[in-house]
Amino acid sequence: QVQLEESGGGLVQPGGSLRLSCAPSGSIFSINDMGWYRQAPGKERELVGYITSGGPNYADSVKGRFTISKNNANNTLYLQMNSLKPEDTAVYYCNALSIAPPRKAYWGKGTLVTVSS
């Protein structure tokens, strides 16, 4: 089993930056592909981006502003968010997939990011 804990959320002004972290615990090396999702008030959860052995991929809405990285020594995942916009306001969730099939998805409880002046 793997537990994921996000941190780093908060209130930031438009144009500002935040860095989110996702720290796994438990069987941390049983997971590999990891990603970030977000859910804005009244909206469905959407993919922000993910990272595999082939590198990161991003949703069009965040491309060029957000950067996903991972510390492979401990599978800690990061999301660097720059040029934040009010529409980036959401609860951000960390996601991880188990290596062994059938691949199991793990989720964190989320961290709130509010972009407002």
Side-chain angles (χ1 to χ4, degrees):
Q1 288 293 324
V2 175
Q3 296 77 42
L4 302 173
E5 183 172 5
E6 303 94 338
S7 60
L11 174 63
V12 62
Q13 291 187 341
S17 298
L18 274 179
R19 188 190 195 207
L20 305 184
S21 299
C22 171
S25 59
S27 302
I28 67 170
F29 294 113
S30 69
I31 56 174
N32 55 2
D33 300 343
M34 298 181 73
W36 291 97
Y37 288 73
R38 67 185 181 185
Q39 187 167 17
K43 295 188 176 181
E44 294 187 353
R45 191 174 297 189
E46 64 175 5
L47 175 68
V48 173
Y50 61 92
I51 187 166
T52 69
S53 58
N57 291 272
Y58 303 95
D60 287 343
S61 59
V62 306
K63 202 172 292 184
R65 300 188 298 122
F66 290 10
T67 302
I68 293 175
S69 59
K70 186 159 76 94
N71 183 340
N72 289 323
N74 56 18
N75 272 345
T76 297
L77 185 70
Y78 301 98
L79 179 65
Q80 178 66 45
M81 304 184 293
N82 299 328
S83 302
L84 282 161
K85 306 174 182 180
E87 51 263 44
D88 295 318
T89 295
V91 177
Y92 284 71
Y93 297 92
C94 177
N95 168 269
L97 293 178
S98 62
I99 298 172
R103 304 194 76 184
K104 181 177 179 179
Y106 297 96
W107 292 92
K109 294 182 179 180
T111 185
L112 177 62
V113 172
T114 303
V115 185
S116 175
S117 56

